[in-house]
Amino acid sequence: AVVSTQSGHYGRGPIMLVCFVVLALLASCSGNRQAAADAIQKSIFGSREALEEPVEMMVYGHREHAHREEVAQLQRTETRTSYSFEELGHMSVKSAPRHQGPFYRPQIYENVPVVEECQAVKCHLNLVIIMDSSGSVGYQDYQLELSFVRTLLEIMAVKAYDAGVKVCVGLVSYSTQVHVEVDPCCHNSICKIIDQFNDRRFQYRAGSTNTNGALKAARQMLQAAASYKKVALLITDGKSNVGGSPISFATQMREEDGIDIVALGVTNSVNTAELKGISGMEFVTKIDVFDEFHELATILLEANYIGSTHELETSFEEMCDADNSVFRQECERVDAAPDEEEEEEEKCSWGAWSNCVQKRNNVCVQKRTCKLNGSVVETEKLECDCPGASSNFMAALQLKSKTRHRGRHGFRPAAMRHGTSSPTAPF
C-alpha cells in the first residue's frame, strides 16, 4: 500500500508539471493576442474600445503583471489616440493637410520602388500595410497573413462608412525585393482591393527579409496623398537580414512625418529590439504563430462592435453592391492647384439621404454621399427623428441582405470553427 501511494504521488508530479506548462503557454499566447489587438485598434481606429473592455489576463502572476504593464504602456502613448474615426468623420476631407517638407526618394542603388506624390488625392486616413513574404514565412502562412489583412480592411471599411471617413489604402509586400501591390494614389475603393484578395492577385515571393526597403516604399506612399492621419502596419515573422537596419529610418518616419507605426511580429524568433525600435513602443507587439491571426481578427471584430463574421460579411457585401469603380494598379499623378481641386470636387454626384438610423449613443442620424468616378469623396450627416423601432447600421444591413447574401472566401475566427456561432458562408 505504501509503495502504491508513493508511486501514485510521483506519477502525478510530471502530469501536473506538464499541465502547468501548457496552461502557461496558452495564457502567454492569449496575452500577446490582446496586446497586439490593442496596438492595432488604437493606432488605426484611434480609440480605446479594446482597452476599456475586460482584458483577458494571465492565470499566473508573473505573466499577468507583464501583460498589465504592456497595456499600461500602450495607454500612456497618448499620441496614438489622436484622431479617432468619430473625430475624422467631422473633418472636411477637402481640407486634409498636404505633406510638409521634402518628399523622400530612395537612391537608385537601393532598388526600392519610387512612388510619386499625389497631393491632389485627399483622405482622412492614409494606411499602408507592409506584408513580409520572405522564405521563412512559407506559402501557407502567407495565405493566413493575407486573410488577416483582408479581414482588417473589411472591418475598417464598415467602420469608415459608418463614420463618414475616407481611407486611402496602400499595400506593400516584400522579401529581398519590395513590391507595391496597391497604390494609395489610385482612388481604389476597399471593395475593389478586397476583390484582388479574392482573386488571389497577391503573389508569394520567397527571399530574404528587406524590412528597411519596405519601410522606404511605405514612407513614400504615406507622404504621397494629403491626409490628417498616417499609419503603417508592418507584419513580419523575423528579423531583417538585407538592406540594413530599419530602426533609424523608422525613427525618421515617426519624428519627421508623424507616422504611427505598428510593428506586429509573428513567431518567437522575432528580433524584439528591432520591433521596438521600429514602432517606438516600450514593448513588443507580437503573436506566437500564424494560426493566431484567426483569434486576433476575432478580438478586433468585438472591439469594433461587430457581433459576428456574418454581420461583417453582410455589411461589407451591401456596401460593395453600389460600388461601380475599377481597380487600378497604376495611375497618373495630377498635382492640381487649389482652384482646380475645388472645381473637381464640385463634379461629384450626391446620392439620396439614407434612412434614419439610431447609433450607439442613442442619437439618430441619416447620411448621404457624394461620389466621383465611383468613389466616395465626401459625406454629409444630419440628425433626424428616431424611428419607432430601434435600429442600427449593422442590424439594418443584415436584415436587408437576408435574401441577397453572397459568400466570400477567407478564414473564420476560432469561435465559428468550433461551432459556437450559427453556420454562415466561409469568412
Side-chain angles (χ1 to χ4, degrees), residues 17 21 26 59 81 87 122 133 176 195 198 201 226 283 303 317 322 350 355 366 397 403 418:
L17 178 60
V21 172
L26 291 174
V59 294
T81 63
E87 292 171 324
K122 296 180 178 293
S133 68
T176 306
D195 285 343
N198 296 333
R201 297 293 178 87
F283 64 95
E317 288 284 350
W350 284 101
N355 293 330
Q366 57 183 165
L397 288 180
T403 60
H418 293 296

Side-chain angles (χ1 to χ4, degrees), residues 342-350 370-373 377:
E342 292 179 4
E343 181 180 351
E344 182 181 10
E345 292 288 350
E346 292 174 358
K347 294 180 181 178
C348 70
S349 177
W350 284 101
C370 193
K371 290 188 176 182
L372 179 65
N373 297 326
V377 297

Side-chain angles (χ1 to χ4, degrees), residues 379-397:
T379 302
E380 286 187 351
K381 291 184 178 181
L382 182 67
E383 289 193 15
C384 54
D385 295 332
C386 293
S390 62
S391 176
N392 58 54
F393 175 75
M394 294 298 182
L397 288 180

Side-chain angles (χ1 to χ4, degrees), residues 26-308:
L26 291 174
S28 174
C29 294
S30 174
N32 289 339
R33 289 194 300 270
Q34 183 68 49
D38 290 341
I40 294 172
Q41 178 73 16
K42 198 170 184 184
S43 291
I44 295 179
F45 300 107
S47 56
R48 294 182 181 271
E49 281 100 330
L51 298 176
E52 291 174 347
E53 294 296 321
V55 178
E56 187 175 357
M57 283 298 172
M58 306 301 96
V59 294
Y60 298 102
H62 68 287
R63 282 299 308 167
E64 179 175 347
H65 173 76
H67 182 55
R68 286 184 185 275
E69 181 60 25
E70 289 176 355
V71 173
Q73 287 170 348
L74 186 60
Q75 289 173 325
R76 290 195 294 268
T77 313
E78 293 300 328
T79 57
R80 295 183 180 276
T81 63
S82 63
Y83 295 143
S84 68
F85 265 40
E86 288 71 21
E87 292 171 324
L88 289 173
H90 290 87
M91 299 177 181
S92 172
V93 71
K94 291 188 290 186
S95 302
R98 291 172 171 243
H99 173 68
Q100 302 297 317
F103 288 90
Y104 169 76
R105 289 294 177 268
Q107 300 296 319
I108 296 177
Y109 67 84
E110 294 178 300
N111 198 22
V112 173
V114 175
V115 181
E116 299 292 342
E117 65 266 25
C118 55
Q119 295 291 282
V121 176
K122 296 180 178 293
C123 45
H124 292 100
L125 166 64
N126 192 354
L127 170 68
V128 174
I129 302 178
I130 309 163
M131 305 176 295
D132 183 353
S133 68
S134 57
S136 57
V137 172
Y139 176 82
Q140 294 298 331
D141 284 341
Y142 188 61
Q143 302 311 307
L144 294 176
E145 185 178 344
L146 289 175
S147 293
F148 169 73
V149 173
R150 172 187 178 276
T151 304
L152 177 62
L153 290 177
E154 288 186 346
I155 294 172
M156 185 173 61
V158 171
K159 191 158 184 176
Y161 182 88
D162 199 18
V165 172
K166 181 181 178 182
V167 182
C168 295
V169 176
L171 294 180
V172 174
S173 66
Y174 77 100
S175 53
T176 306
Q177 303 296 323
V178 180
H179 300 271
V180 175
E181 305 285 3
V182 176
D183 187 339
C185 294
C186 290
H187 288 291
N188 289 312
S189 69
I190 297 181
C191 295
K192 298 308 175 184
I193 295 174
I194 295 301
D195 285 343
Q196 302 301 300
F197 282 87
N198 296 333
D199 295 339
R200 299 184 178 274
R201 297 293 178 87
F202 302 126
Q203 301 178 20
Y204 169 68
R205 304 178 181 95
S208 301
T209 308
N210 186 6
T211 304
N212 197 29
L215 289 174
K216 290 178 178 180
R219 185 181 187 183
Q220 296 175 79
M221 298 163 73
L222 289 165
Q223 289 179 345
S227 63
Y228 291 100
K229 183 175 180 178
K230 302 177 177 67
V231 179
L233 171 60
L234 169 67
I235 305 174
T236 178
D237 81 320
K239 57 184 179 180
S240 58
N241 49 26
V242 294
S245 171
I247 294 177
S248 175
F249 190 80
T251 302
Q252 293 177 27
M253 293 173 64
R254 299 194 317 271
E255 296 180 354
E256 297 177 10
D257 298 340
I259 297 172
D260 249 348
I261 305 178
V262 179
L264 176 60
V266 186
T267 76
N268 290 317
S269 63
V270 296
N271 185 329
T272 57
E274 184 172 283
L275 291 183
K276 288 181 180 180
I278 291 173
S279 67
M281 293 183 179
E282 296 295 328
F283 64 95
V284 177
T285 303
K286 74 182 188 72
I287 58 178
D288 294 316
V289 292
F290 280 89
D291 285 338
E292 290 185 21
F293 275 131
H294 300 293
E295 287 74 18
L296 182 58
T298 302
I299 296 174
L300 289 172
L301 283 170
E302 295 172 353
N304 289 283
Y305 302 100
I306 301 176
S308 67

